[in-house]
Amino acid sequence: MLKLSSSIFIFNLMIHCGQGDECYHGEEASLRLKKWALRDSVHMEANTEAFFETELTVIQMPEEPTWYLVGQGWLGLFYYESGLSDEPRSGAYLYPDFSNAVVGLWMDHLLLQGKRTRLGEICKTGESWILKFSELTGPLLTYSPPSHYSLGIDALHKDPFEEDRVEIRQSSIPGAMQGLYARQDIQAGEVITFYSGYIIDCDSSLRPLDRRDLSDEEEHVRNMYNIALDLEDGSNLCIDLPPELGNNISRYNATLSHKANHAFEPNSEFILFPVHPILGTIMGLAAIEDIPAGTEVTVNYGYNYTSDPDQPDWFVHQWKAYYGTSLGPKDEL
């Protein structure tokens, strides 16, 4: 079990699989768990619970672990060996790759403290699985959501899920600089990367005491990594990553979705990601088609030159190159 000792986690991985048990290790363990979470679990008896901006599928059987599949498993899952939901309990959150994980002490699925690890082994027990994790690594972590004045996490604290998933290199798009590339094959519907920064009111002034009169293009540059936080309650919140951070991965690489370039025929889309174990509710990218390893990840920024001509110069050039002499989508109205 997981327990606290002088603010340091000790995780006893004494899970014994008997002779003849159905067990899998490493990558095969992740693939088997992924198949169970996304396909096989739908045939099991389950309840649903609302959890902030998403829904949890709860699978609980006597004397077996409790599972909370997030977004039917597409956004990862919570795993607890025992304990009640309204009290601190040991467990893990597995990222949507079903390999990277955070193991620790949780309260209502919020991380009190824990550490990163990977899934090491799974063994069949009844209709579900017992999980065994590898050695815990890295600094002690806790739930630390971003705010107007804080990123919530060290700007250079790389997310291991993203490190496995993507890399940054020169974009293949003419005129673009860096781009986001898949390091592994990604299936349609899968989460690719996360998008975080400062959380601000979308209508707030980012320069309340700055007397400089910025040109339209300078304003576009300042707001190039500003994206709406797509909450269902209608809150007018945005994720804002200042360009001095967004343009320089040596200063900020805690999340990487902001490095995806625009395309009118993209292979990914922005989604709300409400269960990041450290950052909480943020945004991310999910594949809308299969993306082979080595492919540049692109997304439609949602700008519209027809309805709002005040757009960055680079976008105006792309719009005209894509739509030619037509006005674009509005022609169809």
Side-chain angles (χ1 to χ4, degrees):
M1 294 296 295
L2 187 69
K3 55 188 177 181
L4 288 172
S5 177
S6 300
S7 299
I8 298 177
F9 277 108
I10 302 174
F11 192 50
N12 185 6
L13 296 176
M14 297 177 62
I15 300 176
H16 300 289
C17 298
Q19 186 176 3
D21 284 350
E22 183 183 353
C23 295
Y24 302 93
H25 307 268
E27 184 177 353
E28 181 65 20
S30 298
L31 291 174
R32 292 279 178 168
L33 185 60
K34 178 180 179 180
K35 176 180 177 294
W36 176 83
L38 299 182
R39 293 174 52 187
D40 300 345
S41 66
V42 300
H43 304 297
M44 302 177 66
E45 184 175 347
N47 298 315
T48 58
E49 292 182 5
F51 184 70
F52 293 95
E53 300 288 328
T54 189
E55 190 173 78
L56 305 178
T57 301
V58 186
I59 300 175
Q60 184 175 25
M61 292 170 285
E63 300 182 1
E64 291 190 5
T66 303
W67 305 81
Y68 295 80
L69 308 184
V70 189
Q72 298 179 321
W74 290 99
L75 303 183
L77 61 84
F78 293 97
Y79 167 88
Y80 303 100
E81 291 182 6
S82 61
L84 301 175
S85 60
D86 58 352
E87 62 184 27
R89 53 180 170 170
S90 60
Y93 169 76
L94 280 94
Y95 284 84
D97 61 358
F98 300 95
S99 174
N100 285 286
V102 173
V103 167
L105 194 64
W106 306 77
M107 180 74 174
D108 293 330
H109 313 304
L110 296 181
L111 182 65
L112 300 179
Q113 50 183 13
K115 286 196 170 187
R116 298 193 185 280
T117 185
R118 285 183 181 271
L119 179 64
E121 179 184 70
I122 62 172
C123 291
K124 191 79 171 181
T125 171
E127 294 185 63
S128 66
W129 303 87
I130 291 290
L131 306 188
K132 179 177 179 180
F133 295 96
S134 301
E135 182 179 354
L136 307 183
T137 61
L140 201 63
L141 303 171
T142 187
Y143 171 65
S144 180
S147 67
H148 185 87
Y149 54 86
S150 171
L151 294 170
I153 196 171
D154 189 306
L156 297 178
H157 190 128
K158 292 183 180 180
D159 194 297
F161 171 79
E162 290 192 326
E163 281 196 282
D164 287 348
R165 212 75 159 152
V166 296
E167 63 182 347
I168 306 300
R169 63 175 194 254
Q170 176 62 43
S171 174
S172 62
I173 299 173
M177 294 182 291
Q178 292 178 324
L180 187 70
Y181 285 82
R183 296 189 64 181
Q184 56 185 229
D185 293 341
I186 300 172
Q187 297 180 4
E190 291 186 333
V191 176
I192 306 170
T193 54
F194 306 120
Y195 200 130
S196 190
Y198 297 104
I199 304 298
I200 65 170
D201 188 291
C202 297
D203 295 328
S204 67
S205 172
L206 299 176
R207 302 177 295 107
L209 299 179
D210 192 336
R211 299 178 181 179
R212 291 175 298 176
D213 185 16
L214 299 184
S215 67
D216 289 342
E217 191 60 29
E218 287 172 329
E219 288 281 2
H220 292 317
V221 170
R222 171 57 188 87
N223 297 324
M224 64 190 304
Y225 299 121
N226 186 292
I227 181 176
L229 188 60
D230 192 18
L231 301 175
E232 294 181 357
D233 63 3
S235 300
N236 190 34
L237 296 177
C238 282
I239 295 174
D240 179 65
L241 196 58
E244 61 269 20
L245 297 182
N247 284 332
N248 191 344
I249 60 173
S250 66
R251 294 189 60 185
Y252 179 87
N253 57 22
T255 59
L256 294 174
S257 286
H258 67 283
K259 302 305 289 186
N261 285 308
H262 167 81
F264 288 106
E265 298 179 15
N267 52 25
S268 73
E269 64 181 356
F270 290 119
I271 63 165
L272 187 72
F273 193 89
V275 288
H276 192 282
I278 296 97
L279 298 171
T281 300
I282 54 176
M283 295 291 286
L285 286 176
I288 57 177
E289 62 186 41
D290 292 345
I291 303 176
T295 303
E296 182 167 4
V297 176
T298 57
V299 64
N300 192 321
Y301 286 2
Y303 301 163
N304 192 310
Y305 180 64
T306 301
S307 60
D308 184 9
D310 181 17
Q311 301 293 348
D313 290 342
W314 65 263
F315 179 78
V316 175
H317 293 321
Q318 285 195 24
W319 179 281
K320 292 180 177 178
Y322 184 78
Y323 290 110
T325 58
S326 70
L327 293 177
K330 194 174 181 180
D331 286 350
E332 301 174 2
L333 299 179

